Amino acid sequence: AALGRRAELGLFTLEEREVEIYPFFSSGVEPHPPPSLLPGQSEAVDAINLAQRAGTGATFLLHGVTGSGKTEVYLRAIADARARGQGALLLVPEIALTPQLVGRFRARFGDDIAVLHSGLSEKEWTSMWHRLRSGAVTLAVGARSAIFAPISSIGIIVVDEEHDPSYKQEDGFRYNARDLAVLRAHRAGAVCILGSATPSLETFQLAETGKYRRLVLDVRANEQALPPVEIVDLARTGAGPSRDPLLSIILHRALEKCLAAEGQAILFLNRRGFSPSVRCKSCEHVQTCPACSVSLTEHRRAGALRCHYCDYAQPLGTACQKCGSLDLELLGLGTEKLEATLAASFPAARVARLDRDVATGSGVESVLDRVRRREVDILVGTQMVTKGHDLPGVTLVGVLLADQSLCFPDFRAAERTFQLLTQVAGRAGRADKPGTVVLQTFQPHAAAIIAAQQHSFAMFVESELGFRRALGYSPFGKLVAVRVDAPDEGASARAATLLASIAMASEPVRTGRVEVLGPAPAPIARVRSRFRHRFLLKSAERRQVRQVALAVLARIEEGLDHARAFVDIDPVSML
């Protein structure tokens, strides 16, 4: 009221303005002039810019080793599009990568950037969306949902780490943001760049057949050699002073050497929590989630046993579910226990952890900033540490159980293993000091592990594509997964059997052009108190498998008694 009276007297004016919220722009960034390009980078930029100026659209696979400067190629190509008045979109697989890339883009382009991902509040998202919709901003950076950003006159779409399974939306509206990026660019006559050090075999095969153009960056931007990789056979190597079998004497000595040279280390273990499972000594029952077919993981700091699927939790010290005994033992090693073990083994070292339990949203960047400021000597983490982080001080990378993902019931298990190992190994030696990598495994002769040791994508592709071709799996075959779940196991099984019978009665299956695999219980048979069954449709011809999928979908839409089902085209997860 006091302000209103003074405004009436003409002392000042009042007006309403919409408050714009820019969560990533709270701190300043120094402008960063473009660096000189290496010959490979220069050739890639020229090829992309030539395609952009032609205006007919094209898809490129930018296949560069870790640290080869793929981001600089993105920046140059986007700058060229913006200079011609076109919009641009950069997709990243994880929210954790967004702040790092936004910082680099701000240093080059200023604050005229929209950031879009699921970690934003509704108000933040709306603010960013309106800036794009109004045309005030024509450059967006975000995770998979940013593929739908309303960018006008889009000239270029970049998909960084295109191999990452995070681009697939697994529930609700199912889509693969990488594939939609190619489609959107094609329809707009724009250029699409798919970047990776370890391309998916589907993308690689499309490049081999000429549908995409492959651009290769085979040296690091600082011209530093890729780090040597030592394989440690856990079946033949004893534990170090910590006495934990997954912290071998070789890895222990490598950590000592790294710390003595004032380097930083990353240890990768894809198991959250303190112990992956808890077993009763009296009856040997492993404590399991009452709603899911998985064991409970001990999270000591939270004081609970927790399910990683439905988030069910029970307090530590709860009696055995089967016999009521309180005599329980811990099995295995998780990142929380590894952090404690390293802190005890290296008391002078500063140990930090990066996983979903300690770092979500802005917490991820907080941990990474501490690493960049050299406030952390050893970083322990899950897959979050394998992504495209640029941490110059890291000279040692250790993988505690390199063959863990090889055991998944998934035809892509070897591919995922090779990608994970290559990506995490690439965090070492990215600056002036050379790096080293230690891979611990019980399967030292596995093809994926040997190829990762040699930093050889070609070696891995040669062995893996042979298996895929022989079995008719992607990229040589088309897959559709039909998934069913219900509160009752029998209802789930009956619905899956019914839908499979519909598929088997279709003409492409009867004539042998489409194969039906299943139905069978899913590898994780129950999640959130719902029993799960599935079957796969497989064919060399997309049109044929689509015809069968449509017949199944028509039956699903009629309704299923006490069950629900959905059709997943080109499934990424087999669990």
Side-chain angles (χ1 to χ4, degrees), residues 108-295:
R108 190 69 57 88
F109 301 123
D111 288 346
D112 291 333
I113 303 172
V115 181
L116 295 168
H117 59 68
S118 59
L120 300 179
S121 68
E122 186 175 349
K123 193 171 185 179
E124 291 167 345
W125 178 281
T126 303
S127 175
M128 294 291 182
W129 185 272
H130 279 302
R131 296 184 77 202
L132 289 167
R133 187 73 172 176
S134 66
V137 172
T138 57
L139 170 59
V141 178
R144 63 173 177 246
S145 59
I147 187 60
F148 303 108
I151 303 170
S152 60
S153 302
I154 194 163
I156 184 169
I157 302 176
V158 178
V159 184
D160 191 32
E161 310 291 0
E162 67 82 26
H163 65 277
D164 199 293
S166 299
Y167 284 119
K168 180 64 182 285
Q169 172 71 31
E170 293 284 0
D171 52 19
F173 172 52
R174 294 169 180 84
Y175 66 92
N176 192 314
R178 177 199 63 196
D179 298 342
L180 280 183
V182 174
L183 177 63
R184 183 175 180 181
H186 171 72
R187 291 190 172 181
V191 163
C192 184
I193 304 174
L194 308 178
S196 178
T198 54
S200 65
L201 294 187
E202 290 83 2
T203 297
F204 176 79
Q205 188 65 15
L206 287 167
E208 286 292 285
T209 56
K211 293 185 178 180
Y212 297 167
R213 182 175 173 185
R214 184 167 173 243
L215 306 171
V216 179
L217 305 178
D218 53 9
V219 297
R220 286 185 155 184
N222 61 0
E223 300 187 85
Q224 181 74 263
L226 290 168
V229 179
E230 180 178 5
I231 295 179
V232 176
D233 186 350
L234 287 173
R236 297 174 177 271
T237 307
S242 71
R243 298 186 179 180
D244 192 299
L246 289 186
L247 196 57
S248 71
I249 183 64
I250 293 175
L251 181 55
H252 188 97
R253 297 295 179 234
L255 281 167
E256 288 180 336
K257 184 177 179 181
C258 172
L259 295 173
E262 298 183 344
Q264 293 174 293
I266 289 178
L267 294 189
F268 168 55
L269 175 63
N270 209 21
R271 289 176 176 172
R272 284 193 291 143
F274 195 85
S275 292
S277 55
V278 180
R279 182 174 63 189
C280 175
K281 289 185 178 180
S282 299
C283 68
E284 298 189 349
H285 172 71
V286 175
Q287 309 307 296
T288 58
C289 174
C292 307
S293 300
V294 295
S295 61

Side-chain angles (χ1 to χ4, degrees), residues 279-343:
R279 182 174 63 189
C280 175
K281 289 185 178 180
S282 299
C283 68
E284 298 189 349
H285 172 71
V286 175
Q287 309 307 296
T288 58
C289 174
C292 307
S293 300
V294 295
S295 61
L296 295 174
T297 298
E298 181 189 7
H299 290 257
R300 182 160 294 184
R301 190 169 297 178
L305 298 180
R306 190 175 295 280
C307 172
H308 288 172
Y309 282 83
C310 71
D311 212 31
Y312 165 84
Q314 67 183 42
L316 294 181
T318 303
C320 172
Q321 300 162 336
K322 188 174 182 179
C323 71
S325 171
L326 292 173
D327 192 11
L328 306 177
E329 64 175 338
L330 306 178
L331 302 177
L333 178 69
T335 50
E336 186 180 357
K337 185 177 179 181
L338 177 58
E339 179 187 23
T341 300
L342 289 168

Side-chain angles (χ1 to χ4, degrees), residues 210 290 495 520 565 572:
V572 169

